[in-house]
Amino acid sequence: MPPLLRSSLLPTRSVTARLFSTSPSLPIARITIVGRLAADPELTVTSTGQEMVRYAVGTSYGPRENRQTSWWRVASFAKENEGRERVMGLAKGTLVYLEGDASMRKFEKDGKVESALSIVQQKLEVLKRPDTAADGLE
């Protein structure tokens, strides 16, 4: 049997490409969150005129007597016919599964440079809707 040539096994890509993935490297991280909506989602308009839905998701961890909560601000750029109304129809307290692209942004506030994590929703699944007074006895 002839020996295998290493060069025939390696993909023909540029030096900066990642050998373990076929997708280009991007400075974005994927984040997965399971938590509850902090408030009803709001429809807003960006400075460029693009509509987006903004909402916050809270995740809690730790023992009940010393529980800590992290708050995650999320933006959804879904079009009307792509599920925006489904997101807008969610109520405070809804348990959701969220996947999104996370990136850090820096801004200046009161003369100090601060940073915040921005999450752009890619996938949203409703796990449990909150109990309401209409569901039970009033």
Side-chain angles (χ1 to χ4, degrees):
M1 280 176 45
L4 292 175
L5 298 176
R6 280 195 164 294
S7 61
S8 66
L9 298 177
L10 293 176
T12 56
R13 295 185 211 159
S14 69
V15 177
T16 59
R18 299 177 295 168
L19 294 175
F20 59 88
S21 175
T22 58
S23 63
S25 61
L26 298 174
I28 294 180
R30 181 61 56 117
I31 188 167
T32 302
I33 297 172
V34 175
R36 296 194 180 274
L37 264 60
D40 295 346
E42 297 177 349
L43 181 63
T44 61
V45 179
T46 66
S47 59
T48 60
Q50 186 176 10
E51 292 183 335
M52 71 175 179
V53 178
R54 292 183 153 259
Y55 58 95
V57 175
T59 57
S60 297
Y61 56 93
R64 193 175 285 275
E65 61 275 356
N66 193 21
R67 185 157 306 207
Q68 296 179 359
T69 302
S70 296
W71 298 101
W72 308 90
R73 290 179 288 177
V74 182
S76 171
F77 291 94
K79 305 273 189 244
E80 280 185 67
N81 56 356
E82 295 177 356
R84 180 172 58 188
E85 293 305 316
R86 186 175 79 101
V87 175
M88 289 297 297
L90 298 177
K92 176 181 178 178
T94 303
L95 183 64
V96 296
Y97 169 89
L98 167 75
E99 286 182 15
D101 295 327
S103 61
M104 293 296 292
R105 62 181 178 86
K106 293 184 179 185
F107 58 94
E108 190 170 324
K109 181 178 179 182
D110 299 330
K112 292 173 52 179
V113 176
E114 297 190 13
S115 60
L117 181 68
S118 298
I119 301 172
V120 177
Q121 170 195 312
Q122 296 300 323
K123 180 178 180 180
L124 180 73
E125 297 290 331
V126 175
L127 300 178
K128 184 178 179 188
R129 297 196 182 265
D131 296 331
T132 60
D135 292 340
L137 298 173
E138 293 187 25

